[in-house]
Amino acid sequence: MSSNKITFFQRFEKDILSGAKTITLRDASESHYKAGQRVAVSTYETDRWFCDVLIDAVECIKFDELNQIHAEQENMTLPELRSVITDIYGEIETLWMISFHLVRT
Ligand SMILES: CC(=O)Nc1cc[nH]c(=O)n1
């Protein structure tokens, strides 16, 4: 059953609302999202809703395949992105890249 909700750390809220962040890299526990799905977005820390997004794609990607394009889609440098993912998931080989866009209504 696909959850119609996703949480982000509060520090990413500004980039999501501005459209600067258009992907999120998750582990297998969050690979259930489907393209075309509308998802409510809340903060991880306080579960405060702050927008809805539409899922554009969910794709499997290896950590070692992360590149400058993915970093730009996360509004980070590539070293920053690798550090953020490692801080969250530890040494992880397989990720799920969830592409999304803001729902304006
Ligand atoms: C709560 C949580 O897992 N947040 C994440 C994880 C990876 N990327 C991201 O943008 N947000």
Side-chain angles (χ1 to χ4, degrees):
M1 174 66 184
S2 291
S3 161
N4 289 324
K5 175 182 174 181
I6 193 168
T7 61
F8 286 87
F9 295 114
Q10 197 163 308
R11 66 182 185 270
F12 296 138
E13 178 177 355
K14 177 173 169 285
D15 281 355
I16 292 166
L17 291 176
S18 70
K21 178 181 170 69
T22 58
I23 66 168
T24 184
L25 297 163
R26 301 297 170 111
D27 67 10
S29 71
E30 293 192 270
S31 63
H32 52 74
Y33 296 100
K34 303 297 181 197
Q37 188 180 359
R38 180 169 178 153
V39 177
V41 178
S42 300
T43 58
Y44 174 79
E45 294 85 349
T46 60
D47 200 29
R48 174 178 51 80
W49 177 89
F50 64 88
C51 71
D52 281 5
V53 297
L54 206 61
I55 305 295
D56 295 316
V58 181
E59 303 156 273
C60 186
I61 185 170
K62 298 298 184 189
F63 181 89
D64 289 345
E65 293 173 332
L66 293 176
N67 61 37
Q68 189 58 38
I69 294 171
H70 303 122
E72 287 168 10
Q73 291 171 310
E74 289 260 18
N75 197 32
M76 300 178 197
T77 65
L78 187 51
E80 283 171 343
L81 178 57
R82 288 178 174 139
S83 176
V84 163
I85 294 302
T86 303
D87 288 349
I88 294 169
Y89 297 116
E91 294 297 314
I92 188 167
E93 182 179 340
T94 302
L95 293 162
W96 295 89
M97 178 169 63
I98 302 169
S99 305
F100 61 85
H101 66 270
L102 271 177
V103 174
R104 295 283 175 196
T105 53

